[in-house]
Amino acid sequence: MIITLVKDADIACIDAMIDALESLDFSCQTTLGKHYTIVHVIGDTSRYDEKKLYAYPCVKSVVRIQEPYQKTQRQSLTEKTIIRVKNLEIGGREPVYIAGPCSIESLEQIESIAEMVAASEGHILRGGAFKPRTSPYDFQGFGEKALEYLSLAANKYHLVSVSEILDLNDLHLFEKYVDIIQVGARNMQNTALLKALGRASKPILLKRGFGNTVEEWLMSAEYIISHGNKNVILCERGIRTFEPSTRHTLDLAGMLYVKQISHLPVIVDPSHAAGRWDLVEGLAKASIAAGADGVMIEVHPQPERAFSDGAQALKPSRFSALVQDLKRLHKALK
Amino acid sequence: MIITLVKDADIACIDAMIDALESLDFSCQTTLGKHYTIVHVIGDTSRYDEKKLYAYPCVKSVVRIQEPYQKTQRQSLTEKTIIRVKNLEIGGREPVYIAGPCSIESLEQIESIAEMVAASEGHILRGGAFKPRTSPYDFQGFGEKALEYLSLAANKYHLVSVSEILDLNDLHLFEKYVDIIQVGARNMQNTALLKALGRASKPILLKRGFGNTVEEWLMSAEYIISHGNKNVILCERGIRTFEPSTRHTLDLAGMLYVKQISHLPVIVDPSHAAGRWDLVEGLAKASIAAGADGVMIEVHPQPERAFSDGAQALKPSRFSALVQDLKRLHKALK
Amino acid sequence: MIITLVKDADIACIDAMIDALESLDFSCQTTLGKHYTIVHVIGDTSRYDEKKLYAYPCVKSVVRIQEPYQKTQRQSLTEKTIIRVKNLEIGGREPVYIAGPCSIESLEQIESIAEMVAASEGHILRGGAFKPRTSPYDFQGFGEKALEYLSLAANKYHLVSVSEILDLNDLHLFEKYVDIIQVGARNMQNTALLKALGRASKPILLKRGFGNTVEEWLMSAEYIISHGNKNVILCERGIRTFEPSTRHTLDLAGMLYVKQISHLPVIVDPSHAAGRWDLVEGLAKASIAAGADGVMIEVHPQPERAFSDGAQALKPSRFSALVQDLKRLHKALK
Amino acid sequence: MIITLVKDADIACIDAMIDALESLDFSCQTTLGKHYTIVHVIGDTSRYDEKKLYAYPCVKSVVRIQEPYQKTQRQSLTEKTIIRVKNLEIGGREPVYIAGPCSIESLEQIESIAEMVAASEGHILRGGAFKPRTSPYDFQGFGEKALEYLSLAANKYHLVSVSEILDLNDLHLFEKYVDIIQVGARNMQNTALLKALGRASKPILLKRGFGNTVEEWLMSAEYIISHGNKNVILCERGIRTFEPSTRHTLDLAGMLYVKQISHLPVIVDPSHAAGRWDLVEGLAKASIAAGADGVMIEVHPQPERAFSDGAQALKPSRFSALVQDLKRLHKALK
């Protein structure tokens, strides 16, 4: 950690700060530059909250050298976490293809989509049972019943299932019915939920909050891992920007950067990023070509009748064709 | 609601869409423009999710005319909600001054700050018991014990108390110990929590998420109100932007706009927006001069020893002087 | 154009507004909704500045239906502009590969890079002669001499050349030496420059400003086209967001959207978006897989000795390998 | 400057980097931390482009300690530049009030507004002669004729005049007719224009670009100052964010921060930030209460007939009342 002092810093203030740091077993080394004085703090600062130091008036700026996300961070160039669910590997050689409706509307609906996903060589069936809607008047999901339908449909077609949790009190339902538990963008920093999921037995698919940095995203993964659950899959799904033509702006550079610094698998959700189906295929191809570990696509047989998010759902025939394109792209880069 | 159709839109698609809308008791009126055809949907569309319509390929764009936040919205130019807690009015003639430490560290600490807040003519004592930290390794708060200390200190000095809730299972503790329950920026769209707080008996201070629009903020207030709790205080605390010199960018125009369209009181938290104490006073003055219903300021007697967020805490003497400045400003505009 | 009126709008205000619009030969049709009254303005509104209407107090909101960028907009699903320079087609079947150094440093430097670009099957040689640096103390480019070197190097290896113009008074130099004239992100709304380039004989490569929307980008293209130069190539290069791990956030959804609504070719510059060479290859692959008409890559034989932007430059050997990957990807999608 | 090295950095790479730095007369001091090795570069690095160092693969990150804007930066806590134009002080004890129409439409129009500005105790008359419009089809201003009218109106009512320059070839006109030359947000990084204005005899009012950081804004001021013109007035006018309810988001914290680190006067333009007149008064009060050196307000006697930007213009009577409020606020804080 590197502390730059203000010009003409008060000596008593510097001494108090160094005493405080040394009482935590850090050692401090001071260097006089031509224009500024620097204090170099040596020791394991990964768990020290460097922002505290700004409370000392003698401090101009503090730069953290060590990353604060030790368990999420890749320790070597080749370290990679592969998560195994049933017979599926996530983060392995082949990208995974996840598809399904925004909301589970009936057993027939989710079974017919499951059949299509399996026929299209998809691996994971997604479907919402508890929906985090912006408006209290929008459809909120069918709850436990929907989780049960998802489970039946996934098992029937030998697919892995994933669904989003909103309330930590529902954890037992997710443990019972689904294979992977999703944390949505709006709950990425719901620390009470993250801690509870650290004690879950199922892998967690952690979406990036649309107002959150890559570092905060990794810190949320660190919450889950440090509370006991190592199986975290990251999912980039777009961030908030000033551009109004798409719902969010997909940050593929963020995805690439996370794959460099972390050992966790990273997938991409182009449907929620774009918010409009006609851009989803292009963004899915971009994601796989860039090296994502998978994509998650909203699919609905009759998007205009979907209970939610129909605007961004692909029709089944387009999804099937897309998977073939993605496979060709992945093969071209091997 | 106004729907613009794509050029050469498919007639069958238009018919299916109009049938679907009419089955919901809306009436549709079609107008041929010089370049585009428009469908005007008439009826109470405030609870209709207009994004659904994009699933019809004949739709180019949809514009909502009615606001989706009916209960949060101001119905007349003079409608205003005043929230009464003990003898205090929030949203009334005089702005309220809220102050206290980021974290409650001991009974002595919070009592000495309470004494100072009261002596400085502040009204509400804030203090964190459950802390939503970005890192799992940072101090997470002392929990119930801290709420108890807050309650003792506030009562001793005749102050109103406010503290942040993270886990809906802790609601009974907040009902027991505090006067106002805070929802933090990270949980603004934690809908499970918002629904639970709709059933609480205490007023809710709802912070704007740093990645959320004004409309989403009002929709979160609508969650609480539509679940039964009318007493919502809004709090602007800065949004995420590309500017790195402050932690967030305080959106005073957003505060002013919310005061125009909503009847709820709106206060401002300049401490979390700036992330550095040396900008807090200027932003607090700006907030009161612009017409905010109050400000919430982090105060700590020894910021460099604070367990969290010391960098943005004012020392008590500066807070006292600031309250006097704010009172002079408010008086100058009466 | 659709105008929504405020509740209880003043009749005199409405009449004045409608008179003003009708005096411009628009016709106005008023519809009473359940909650709001709508005025539908019919006629060619593409050149009318709809923001003017907000000056009428009776106006709540105005929605433009017709796009304001008529010449840039695609009139049919198949319309596409192909720009021919020497033997090269930009916007045709095959993506174009553009490479070169940030700054032209010497004739030897640019010739050796040109040789490598040609050998790697690249098509266009880029190189800066006038540099738009953030700091007045950074290297500002070698000016006309550098343009001359670029021209010599491009001709020697049968490449097309492109370089950025900063000052409209230099236009004669660019007409003399380069094949394509680049407008950089910082000058995207320098309307004096755009108007001058509307009278140029060479194609213009128009970069998107990092603080500009897609609509503003197309409006800047409209400036050039409406002043007489139809040959505009658009270039997406990342926008400003809150994410600090990359210099800007590459907006591939924006690129895809522009290709949908405009007939102009669109290429991508991943080097400036990322600001770090280790993400450039992944983003270039993403761009081509998504359907971009080309990529522009910074290349330097000794990045650490580059006069500018060495951090984002690929070494020649990596560029050669990258072009082969991009060709395989493009072929996989045919 | 502090360089952090990657783990297991290549010794040859480190040596090459240190040689390069020492050849520029910097001295380098290496410290082994527990987890990372640091190189501390000592010397005057204010004009060194630190991003260059990322081209060395051994470099993990570089932190600049010295600010790159030496001439713009405040050297002591009390240093302050006061700019004198005619009898007016900008950056002195009293804030300045600037008002006028977006576009100068006729001699009568600008004279009647000038009369009102003078009667309202305003100091500076603004008015556009060359307009930087997003659309080529919008009104572009009346050019030299308009500058002449501005000059006549300002002189008649003893006001200082300000107008925006777009094309550096028009500089002689601005030297002839106006007292202060404005650089608009879209041209903040038009370095050719900034260099030309460094040779102008008139003070420059430099608006912040809506996509630019505070540091870039100061670097643009540095361009003007380092080319010879010390009289720069900064103007905050809002930045691009994801919030759609206002045109831009006014960054008052940015204004406060600039006043801390720079000696230049800083004013605020709430009209362009808000884009809607009904928020302008609140934001103007916030600006003066926070300590801005002045505000610039768009005023038009008939906003609905304005040739441009009527939506954000105040009527004269509101402007007069606003100035009185601002004076009371300023007095309350003395």
Side-chain angles (χ1 to χ4, degrees):
Chain A
M1 209 160 56
I2 303 289
I3 303 166
T4 307
L5 302 179
V6 296
K7 288 183 186 176
D8 307 317
D10 179 55
I11 302 293
C13 177
I14 305 174
D15 286 348
M17 179 185 76
I18 289 178
D19 283 356
L21 287 165
E22 291 185 343
S23 75
L24 296 167
D25 275 342
F26 297 122
S27 71
C28 294
Q29 194 172 314
T30 303
T31 312
L32 296 167
K34 193 158 177 187
H35 299 271
Y36 287 101
T37 298
I38 302 294
V39 180
H40 186 182
V41 183
I42 299 172
D44 180 356
T45 56
S46 67
R47 297 184 177 199
Y48 182 79
D49 179 9
E50 85 284 0
K51 290 185 295 294
K52 288 176 120 166
L53 292 168
Y54 285 98
Y56 290 94
C58 58
V59 170
K60 180 172 181 287
S61 64
V62 187
V63 178
R64 175 183 273 288
I65 304 294
Q66 241 187 313
E67 285 81 2
Y69 35 81
Q70 290 171 283
K71 293 175 193 296
T72 307
Q73 192 180 1
R74 203 163 70 168
Q75 298 303 323
S76 73
L77 281 176
T78 52
E79 191 196 354
K80 212 175 167 196
T81 289
I82 296 177
I83 293 173
R84 287 174 181 82
V85 192
K86 292 179 174 173
N87 291 321
L88 184 66
E89 285 190 353
I90 302 166
R93 286 193 177 187
E94 295 295 321
V96 294
Y97 303 115
I98 309 173
C102 181
S103 298
I104 297 160
E105 299 166 8
S106 68
L107 182 57
E108 296 68 44
Q109 176 234 27
I110 192 69
E111 280 196 346
S112 82
I113 296 177
E115 183 178 10
M116 177 284 297
V117 171
S120 304
E121 304 184 63
H123 307 100
I124 304 181
L125 181 66
R126 59 150 288 156
F130 300 90
K131 300 300 306 169
R133 307 304 301 275
T134 301
S135 167
Y137 310 121
D138 287 348
F139 177 61
Q140 308 275 318
F142 284 132
E144 181 173 1
K145 185 104 304 211
L147 287 184
E148 197 189 331
Y149 294 162
L150 178 68
S151 169
L152 290 170
N155 285 337
K156 187 165 175 184
Y157 294 99
H158 310 290
L159 296 167
V160 168
S161 64
V162 62
S163 194
E164 179 174 351
I165 189 168
L166 298 187
D167 184 336
L168 54 88
N169 296 319
D170 294 330
L171 182 52
H172 63 288
L173 297 175
F174 284 80
E175 289 280 5
K176 183 171 170 193
Y177 292 115
V178 309
D179 298 314
I180 300 173
I181 306 172
Q182 178 177 318
V183 177
R186 290 169 182 78
N187 281 307
M188 193 200 87
Q189 292 194 310
N190 177 343
T191 52
L193 182 61
L194 298 176
K195 288 177 183 178
L197 294 175
R199 295 182 294 269
S201 71
K202 301 286 174 71
I204 308 301
L205 191 156
L206 178 67
K207 287 200 162 185
R208 178 178 179 184
F210 44 71
N212 291 107
T213 61
V214 163
E215 180 167 320
E216 289 168 343
W217 187 21
L218 294 178
M219 292 310 294
S220 288
E222 192 87 6
Y223 257 96
I224 299 169
I225 297 173
S226 68
H227 282 81
N229 186 347
K230 290 183 179 180
N231 293 314
V232 177
I233 304 154
L234 299 169
C235 179
E236 159 64 29
R237 43 79 72 221
I239 55 173
R240 274 268 153 90
T241 71
F242 60 78
E243 174 56 46
S245 63
T246 47
R247 196 197 288 164
H248 298 103
T249 298
L250 188 66
D251 183 14
L252 285 183
M255 181 276 289
L256 284 163
Y257 177 60
V258 168
K259 281 188 70 74
Q260 259 187 29
I261 58 175
S262 169
H263 54 84
L264 297 172
V266 191
I267 65 164
V268 175
D269 173 351
S271 304
H272 281 85
R276 38 190 295 169
W277 67 267
D278 54 1
L279 303 179
V280 167
E281 293 153 300
L283 293 177
K285 290 175 198 169
S287 303
I288 293 299
D293 292 306
V295 287
M296 177 146 81
I297 309 282
E298 285 203 3
V299 175
H300 197 284
Q302 290 180 289
E304 67 279 9
R305 303 219 169 169
F307 286 20
S308 55
D309 276 0
Q312 68 201 36
L314 284 194
K315 294 204 173 178
S317 58
R318 297 196 81 113
F319 175 70
S320 295
L322 175 60
V323 172
Q324 296 312 310
D325 275 347
L326 299 179
K327 290 190 165 207
R328 271 195 296 276
L329 283 174
H330 183 67
K331 203 173 157 192
L333 290 177
K334 268 190 204 171
Chain B
M1 209 160 56
I2 303 288
I3 303 166
T4 306
L5 302 179
V6 296
K7 287 181 186 176
D8 307 317
D10 180 55
I11 301 292
C13 177
I14 304 174
D15 286 348
M17 179 185 76
I18 289 179
D19 283 355
L21 286 165
E22 291 184 344
S23 75
L24 296 167
D25 276 340
F26 297 122
S27 72
C28 294
Q29 196 172 314
T30 303
T31 312
L32 296 167
K34 193 158 176 186
H35 299 272
Y36 286 102
T37 298
I38 302 294
V39 180
H40 186 182
V41 183
I42 299 173
D44 181 356
T45 56
S46 68
R47 296 185 177 197
Y48 183 80
D49 178 9
E50 85 285 0
K51 291 186 293 295
K52 289 175 118 166
L53 292 168
Y54 285 97
Y56 290 94
C58 57
V59 171
K60 181 172 181 286
S61 64
V62 186
V63 177
R64 175 183 273 287
I65 304 294
Q66 242 186 313
E67 284 80 3
Y69 34 82
Q70 291 171 282
K71 293 175 194 294
T72 307
Q73 193 180 0
R74 202 162 72 168
Q75 298 303 323
S76 72
L77 282 175
T78 52
E79 191 196 353
K80 212 175 166 195
T81 289
I82 296 178
I83 293 173
R84 288 176 181 79
V85 191
K86 293 179 175 173
N87 291 321
L88 185 64
E89 284 190 354
I90 303 166
R93 284 193 177 187
E94 294 295 321
V96 295
Y97 303 115
I98 308 172
C102 181
S103 298
I104 297 160
E105 298 166 7
S106 68
L107 181 58
E108 296 68 45
Q109 176 235 28
I110 192 69
E111 281 196 344
S112 82
I113 296 178
E115 182 178 10
M116 177 283 297
V117 171
S120 304
E121 304 184 63
H123 308 100
I124 304 181
L125 182 66
R126 60 150 288 157
F130 300 90
K131 301 300 305 169
R133 308 304 301 275
T134 301
S135 166
Y137 309 121
D138 287 346
F139 176 61
Q140 308 276 317
F142 283 133
E144 181 173 2
K145 185 103 306 212
L147 287 185
E148 197 189 332
Y149 295 162
L150 177 68
S151 170
L152 290 170
N155 286 335
K156 186 164 175 184
Y157 294 100
H158 309 291
L159 296 167
V160 168
S161 64
V162 61
S163 193
E164 179 174 351
I165 189 168
L166 297 186
D167 184 336
L168 54 89
N169 296 319
D170 293 331
L171 182 52
H172 63 289
L173 297 176
F174 285 79
E175 289 280 5
K176 182 173 171 192
Y177 292 116
V178 309
D179 298 314
I180 300 173
I181 305 172
Q182 178 177 318
V183 178
R186 290 168 182 79
N187 281 307
M188 192 201 87
Q189 292 195 310
N190 177 343
T191 53
L193 182 61
L194 298 176
K195 288 177 183 178
L197 294 175
R199 295 182 294 269
S201 71
K202 300 287 176 72
I204 308 303
L205 191 157
L206 178 67
K207 287 201 162 184
R208 178 178 179 182
F210 44 70
N212 290 109
T213 61
V214 163
E215 179 167 321
E216 289 168 344
W217 188 20
L218 293 179
M219 291 311 295
S220 289
E222 192 87 7
Y223 258 96
I224 299 170
I225 297 174
S226 67
H227 282 81
N229 187 347
K230 288 182 177 180
N231 293 314
V232 177
I233 304 154
L234 299 170
C235 179
E236 160 64 30
R237 43 79 72 222
I239 56 174
R240 275 267 153 90
T241 71
F242 60 77
E243 174 55 46
S245 63
T246 46
R247 196 198 288 165
H248 298 103
T249 298
L250 188 66
D251 183 14
L252 285 183
M255 181 276 288
L256 284 164
Y257 177 60
V258 168
K259 281 188 69 74
Q260 259 187 29
I261 58 174
S262 169
H263 54 85
L264 297 173
V266 191
I267 65 164
V268 175
D269 172 353
S271 304
H272 281 85
R276 38 191 295 170
W277 69 267
D278 54 1
L279 303 179
V280 167
E281 293 154 300
L283 294 177
K285 290 175 198 170
S287 303
I288 294 299
D293 292 306
V295 288
M296 177 147 79
I297 308 282
E298 285 203 2
V299 176
H300 198 285
Q302 289 180 292
E304 67 279 10
R305 302 219 170 168
F307 285 21
S308 54
D309 276 359
Q312 67 200 37
L314 285 194
K315 294 204 175 180
S317 58
R318 297 196 81 115
F319 175 71
S320 294
L322 175 60
V323 171
Q324 296 312 310
D325 275 347
L326 299 179
K327 292 190 165 206
R328 270 195 297 276
L329 283 174
H330 183 67
K331 203 173 157 192
L333 289 177
K334 267 191 206 171
Chain C
M1 207 160 56
I2 303 288
I3 304 167
T4 306
L5 302 179
V6 296
K7 288 182 186 177
D8 307 316
D10 180 55
I11 301 292
C13 178
I14 305 174
D15 287 348
M17 179 185 76
I18 289 179
D19 283 357
L21 288 165
E22 291 184 344
S23 75
L24 296 167
D25 275 342
F26 297 122
S27 71
C28 294
Q29 194 172 316
T30 303
T31 312
L32 295 168
K34 194 159 174 186
H35 298 271
Y36 286 102
T37 298
I38 301 294
V39 179
H40 186 179
V41 183
I42 299 172
D44 180 356
T45 57
S46 68
R47 296 186 178 197
Y48 183 79
D49 178 9
E50 84 285 1
K51 291 186 294 294
K52 287 175 119 166
L53 293 168
Y54 285 97
Y56 290 93
C58 58
V59 170
K60 182 173 180 284
S61 63
V62 187
V63 178
R64 175 182 273 287
I65 305 293
Q66 241 188 315
E67 283 81 2
Y69 35 82
Q70 291 171 282
K71 294 176 192 294
T72 307
Q73 192 180 1
R74 202 163 71 168
Q75 298 303 324
S76 72
L77 282 174
T78 51
E79 191 195 354
K80 212 176 167 197
T81 290
I82 295 177
I83 294 172
R84 288 176 181 81
V85 191
K86 292 179 174 171
N87 291 321
L88 184 65
E89 284 189 354
I90 303 167
R93 286 192 177 189
E94 296 295 320
V96 295
Y97 303 115
I98 309 172
C102 181
S103 298
I104 298 160
E105 298 166 8
S106 68
L107 182 57
E108 296 68 44
Q109 176 236 28
I110 193 69
E111 281 196 343
S112 82
I113 295 178
E115 182 178 10
M116 177 282 297
V117 170
S120 304
E121 304 184 63
H123 307 100
I124 304 181
L125 182 66
R126 59 150 286 157
F130 300 90
K131 302 300 306 169
R133 308 304 301 273
T134 301
S135 167
Y137 310 121
D138 287 346
F139 177 61
Q140 308 276 317
F142 283 134
E144 179 172 2
K145 185 103 307 208
L147 288 184
E148 196 189 332
Y149 294 162
L150 177 68
S151 169
L152 290 170
N155 286 335
K156 186 165 176 185
Y157 294 100
H158 309 291
L159 295 167
V160 167
S161 64
V162 61
S163 194
E164 178 174 352
I165 189 168
L166 296 186
D167 184 336
L168 55 88
N169 296 320
D170 293 330
L171 182 52
H172 64 287
L173 297 176
F174 284 79
E175 290 280 7
K176 182 172 172 192
Y177 292 115
V178 308
D179 298 314
I180 300 173
I181 305 173
Q182 178 177 318
V183 177
R186 290 169 183 78
N187 281 308
M188 192 201 87
Q189 291 195 311
N190 177 343
T191 52
L193 182 61
L194 298 176
K195 288 177 183 178
L197 295 175
R199 295 182 294 268
S201 72
K202 301 286 175 73
I204 308 302
L205 191 157
L206 178 67
K207 287 202 163 185
R208 178 178 179 184
F210 44 71
N212 290 108
T213 62
V214 163
E215 180 167 320
E216 289 169 343
W217 188 20
L218 293 179
M219 292 310 295
S220 289
E222 192 87 6
Y223 258 96
I224 300 169
I225 297 174
S226 67
H227 282 82
N229 187 348
K230 290 183 179 179
N231 293 315
V232 177
I233 303 154
L234 299 169
C235 179
E236 159 64 30
R237 43 80 72 221
I239 55 174
R240 275 268 154 89
T241 71
F242 61 77
E243 174 56 47
S245 63
T246 46
R247 195 197 290 164
H248 298 102
T249 299
L250 188 66
D251 183 14
L252 285 184
M255 179 276 287
L256 284 163
Y257 178 60
V258 169
K259 281 189 67 77
Q260 259 188 28
I261 57 174
S262 170
H263 54 84
L264 297 172
V266 192
I267 65 165
V268 175
D269 172 353
S271 304
H272 282 85
R276 39 191 293 169
W277 68 267
D278 55 1
L279 303 179
V280 167
E281 292 153 301
L283 293 177
K285 291 175 197 169
S287 303
I288 293 299
D293 291 308
V295 288
M296 176 146 80
I297 309 282
E298 285 203 5
V299 175
H300 198 285
Q302 289 179 291
E304 68 278 10
R305 303 219 169 170
F307 286 21
S308 55
D309 277 359
Q312 67 201 35
L314 286 193
K315 294 205 175 178
S317 59
R318 297 196 81 114
F319 175 70
S320 294
L322 175 61
V323 171
Q324 296 312 309
D325 275 347
L326 299 179
K327 292 191 164 204
R328 270 195 297 274
L329 283 173
H330 183 68
K331 204 175 157 191
L333 290 177
K334 266 190 205 171
Chain D
M1 209 161 54
I2 304 288
I3 303 167
T4 306
L5 302 180
V6 297
K7 288 182 187 178
D8 308 317
D10 180 56
I11 301 293
C13 176
I14 304 173
D15 286 349
M17 179 185 75
I18 288 178
D19 282 357
L21 287 164
E22 291 184 344
S23 76
L24 297 167
D25 274 341
F26 297 122
S27 72
C28 295
Q29 195 172 314
T30 303
T31 313
L32 295 167
K34 193 158 176 185
H35 298 272
Y36 286 101
T37 299
I38 301 294
V39 179
H40 186 178
V41 183
I42 299 171
D44 181 356
T45 57
S46 68
R47 297 186 177 197
Y48 183 80
D49 178 9
E50 84 284 0
K51 291 186 294 295
K52 287 176 122 167
L53 292 168
Y54 285 97
Y56 290 94
C58 58
V59 171
K60 179 172 181 289
S61 64
V62 187
V63 177
R64 174 183 275 287
I65 305 293
Q66 241 187 314
E67 284 80 3
Y69 35 82
Q70 291 170 282
K71 293 175 193 295
T72 307
Q73 193 180 2
R74 202 162 72 168
Q75 298 303 323
S76 73
L77 282 175
T78 52
E79 191 194 356
K80 211 174 167 198
T81 289
I82 296 177
I83 293 173
R84 288 174 181 81
V85 191
K86 294 179 174 171
N87 292 321
L88 183 65
E89 284 190 353
I90 302 167
R93 287 194 176 187
E94 295 295 320
V96 295
Y97 303 115
I98 309 172
C102 181
S103 298
I104 296 160
E105 299 166 8
S106 68
L107 182 56
E108 295 69 43
Q109 176 234 28
I110 192 69
E111 280 196 344
S112 81
I113 296 177
E115 183 178 10
M116 178 281 300
V117 171
S120 304
E121 304 185 63
H123 307 99
I124 304 181
L125 182 66
R126 59 150 287 159
F130 299 90
K131 302 300 306 169
R133 308 304 301 274
T134 301
S135 166
Y137 309 121
D138 287 346
F139 176 61
Q140 308 276 318
F142 284 132
E144 180 173 2
K145 185 105 304 212
L147 288 184
E148 197 189 332
Y149 294 162
L150 178 68
S151 169
L152 290 170
N155 286 335
K156 187 166 175 184
Y157 294 99
H158 309 291
L159 296 166
V160 167
S161 64
V162 60
S163 194
E164 179 174 351
I165 190 169
L166 297 186
D167 183 336
L168 55 87
N169 295 320
D170 294 330
L171 183 51
H172 64 288
L173 298 176
F174 284 79
E175 289 280 7
K176 182 173 170 192
Y177 292 115
V178 308
D179 298 314
I180 301 173
I181 305 172
Q182 178 177 316
V183 178
R186 291 170 181 78
N187 280 307
M188 193 201 87
Q189 292 194 312
N190 177 344
T191 52
L193 181 61
L194 298 176
K195 289 177 182 177
L197 294 175
R199 295 182 294 268
S201 72
K202 301 286 175 71
I204 309 302
L205 191 156
L206 178 67
K207 288 201 162 186
R208 178 178 179 184
F210 44 71
N212 290 107
T213 62
V214 163
E215 179 166 322
E216 289 168 345
W217 188 20
L218 294 178
M219 292 311 295
S220 289
E222 192 88 6
Y223 257 96
I224 299 169
I225 298 173
S226 68
H227 282 81
N229 187 347
K230 289 183 179 181
N231 293 314
V232 177
I233 304 154
L234 299 170
C235 179
E236 159 64 30
R237 44 79 70 219
I239 56 174
R240 275 267 153 89
T241 71
F242 60 78
E243 174 56 47
S245 63
T246 46
R247 195 197 291 165
H248 298 101
T249 297
L250 188 66
D251 183 14
L252 285 183
M255 180 276 288
L256 284 163
Y257 177 61
V258 168
K259 281 189 67 77
Q260 260 187 28
I261 58 175
S262 169
H263 54 84
L264 297 173
V266 191
I267 65 164
V268 175
D269 173 353
S271 304
H272 282 85
R276 38 190 295 169
W277 68 267
D278 55 1
L279 303 179
V280 167
E281 292 153 300
L283 294 177
K285 291 175 198 169
S287 304
I288 293 299
D293 292 307
V295 288
M296 176 148 78
I297 310 282
E298 283 202 4
V299 176
H300 198 283
Q302 290 179 289
E304 67 279 11
R305 304 219 169 169
F307 286 21
S308 55
D309 275 0
Q312 68 200 36
L314 284 193
K315 292 203 176 180
S317 58
R318 297 196 81 113
F319 175 70
S320 294
L322 175 61
V323 171
Q324 296 312 310
D325 275 347
L326 299 179
K327 290 190 166 206
R328 271 196 297 276
L329 284 173
H330 183 67
K331 204 174 157 192
L333 290 177
K334 265 191 206 168

